Amino acid sequence: MNTTVLQRIDALPHVVLHVQHRELPAAHLRTVYAAADAAIVARTATAGKESGLVADAANHGVALLVSTPDADLAGRLRGRPWARVLRVGDAAELAAALDGPLPARPHPGAATEVGLMSPAAALARFTTLAGLQPRPMGNDHLRAGKPSSKPCVLHAQLHS
């Protein structure tokens, strides 16, 4: 993670920044999303496609600030009231976005409207890819405390 960018974000008024460099259990990750005003998905120009973190935030009802080299994803998110697409690598634009009004929270189904998977669709896809038998989508798998592989930040989700 770029410490200079994190310091600039932390210095903004009304921003509380907590960085955790570890995997989080699913229940903890849901708590982080619930407490967040927005999720930041910031990618470098050399990063590959990114939609997992974007889908997670949208499916959890968290507004998005996104900088991605994926022109297709950026195009699908532009103009959505719950997402703001930023220029890749522009720390000043990110700081200004955090200092101004944040996008609205996404409505249920917002992720699927832009072609991203819902939690049920993701579970079905990965279950099939793993060669496992599908099981009913309930909350049991969420209460199991299975770790997430995503490092996270309160008020901003960053992935290195």
Side-chain angles (χ1 to χ4, degrees), residues 23 27 37 48 61 65 71-72 85 87 93 108 115 126 135 138 148 150 160:
E23 292 183 1
D37 296 312
L65 299 173
D72 178 59
V85 179
R87 288 182 299 274
E93 185 180 25
F126 295 122
R135 63 180 182 162
S148 166
K150 301 175 191 85
S160 56

Side-chain angles (χ1 to χ4, degrees), residues 15-109:
V15 173
V16 177
L17 186 71
H18 299 277
V19 179
Q20 298 187 17
H21 299 279
R22 63 183 175 89
E23 292 183 1
L24 297 178
H28 189 164
L29 185 59
R30 284 193 315 280
T31 302
V32 168
Y33 276 117
D37 296 312
I40 300 171
V41 179
R43 290 293 190 211
T44 63
T46 59
K49 290 189 174 235
E50 171 56 59
S51 62
L53 295 174
V54 172
D56 282 353
N59 284 318
H60 281 89
V62 179
L64 280 159
L65 299 173
V66 181
S67 68
T68 176
D70 182 347
D72 178 59
L73 178 61
R76 288 182 282 146
L77 293 173
R78 271 194 192 88
R80 301 289 172 166
W82 48 271
R84 184 166 304 133
V85 179
L86 309 170
R87 288 182 299 274
V88 172
D90 191 332
E93 185 180 25
L94 174 58
L98 287 169
D99 202 27
L102 294 171
R105 291 189 173 271
H107 60 279

Side-chain angles (χ1 to χ4, degrees), residues 137-148:
M137 179 70 169
N139 288 332
D140 292 341
H141 70 288
L142 299 175
R143 286 191 285 269
K146 294 181 181 173
S148 166

